[in-house]
Structure formats: C-alpha cells, structure tokens
Amino acid sequence: APNRCDIDNDGEGDGDHWVCEHRRTAIANTVLFRKVTDGEPLTHWWSNGNNRIAFGRDDKGFVAINREGSAFSNTYQTNMPAGTYCDITRGDLLPDGTCTGRLITVEANGQILSQSLDPMDAFAIHIAARTDWDYGDHAPGYGIPYHTGNAPILGDVWRTDDGVLQG
C-alpha cells in the first residue's frame, strides 16, 4: 500500500499515493464546521420533502444541501449573527479575512436571502468563517492557520501536516 499523499495535495491521487480526501477543501472545512458547532441544538430544519434540506446549529452554523438534478433558490431563516461568511464547502477564510470561495450574507433578521444552489450542490457557514469580524488576538480568520497547526479557537486541526509523508 502507498504510504504518502500526492505531492500537490489536491486530494485526487495519482495512482501511486493515497487519495487524501481529508485535504479537500469541503471535507477539511466540514470537519471544522463540526468542531465549531459541536453540542449546539438543531434549529430551522427545512426540507422540500425530497432531496433538498437545510438546518442550523443554533447561532454557530448553517448548512443547505441540494441533492437534486435541478438548481433552485431559497430564502433561509437562521440564528446566525448578521454578517458575511465564507462558504466553507467552496473555499477557505484566509488570515487576511478574504474568502477563496463564494460569500454568503446573513441579514440583520437572520435570513439568507434568495441563495441559489446548483444541482448536487451545498453551502455551509459557521461563526469562525465570518469575513467581516474582528477576531481580536486570534488570527483574522480560521483559514490556513487553522488547517496547519494549533488554533486558539478550534484546537488542533491538521490538513497538510498530518504526519503523512508528502512528496
């Protein structure tokens, strides 16, 4: 069996190495979503009765999933504080506060207005992926520092330095 991940860390593998799915943005970031929302109650459950769902984890996170063959748009009610969040399924919140993916806006009333989802698409936001927040003594975002070492808010989270030989 191979004993290392592919050198470019894209999670795709090249046949001679482990696939390393844990490095894919959506997977690594949803692990962080779980850490941030751990213990929070389920809120604002929504379903179309088929394969579209959405739910919150109180005021710590919100997810919407479209597992259908057509795009759709919906307005969601959340308990999230108003602000602009990095969609962690599509990108990382970098230390400078920029997001490498799409942005999701939560209005003052907690709503995410007319958010479109492509077929077989999802979005997820959490309180530690807010682009317009001053994190004080912590890094401006959880992004890259929180994938590579000890993070003051989230604890040890490993993405690229996971003990698996790279290269």
Side-chain angles (χ1 to χ4, degrees), residues 97-117:
T98 60
C99 176
T100 62
R102 73 179 153 197
L103 298 174
I104 305 289
T105 300
V106 176
E107 303 295 327
N109 63 1
Q111 289 188 333
I112 299 171
L113 299 175
S114 302
Q115 182 62 49
S116 296
L117 282 174

Side-chain angles (χ1 to χ4, degrees), residues 25-96:
T25 298
I27 292 173
N29 287 346
T30 53
V31 169
L32 290 170
F33 178 91
R34 169 70 167 87
K35 289 184 79 115
V36 170
T37 63
D38 186 30
E40 298 298 323
L42 180 69
T43 56
H44 299 291
W45 172 262
W46 174 88
S47 172
N48 72 339
N50 199 12
N51 290 306
R52 293 178 178 147
I53 64 168
F55 61 91
R57 294 300 299 262
D58 200 22
D59 61 350
K60 299 293 189 273
F62 193 84
V63 176
I65 301 169
N66 178 18
R67 195 173 187 283
E68 293 190 9
S70 61
F72 85 113
S73 181
N74 198 33
T75 294
Y76 302 97
Q77 183 63 53
T78 80
N79 286 350
M80 300 294 292
T84 305
Y85 295 82
C86 186
D87 173 7
I88 63 160
T89 69
R90 298 279 186 97
D92 290 311
L93 181 64
L94 300 178
D96 67 1

Side-chain angles (χ1 to χ4, degrees), residues 86 92-100 128-136 138-148:
C86 186
D92 290 311
L93 181 64
L94 300 178
D96 67 1
T98 60
C99 176
T100 62
R130 193 166 160 189
T131 63
D132 60 349
W133 187 255
D134 180 2
Y135 287 90
H138 303 298
Y142 82 89
I144 301 302
Y146 293 90
H147 289 276
T148 59

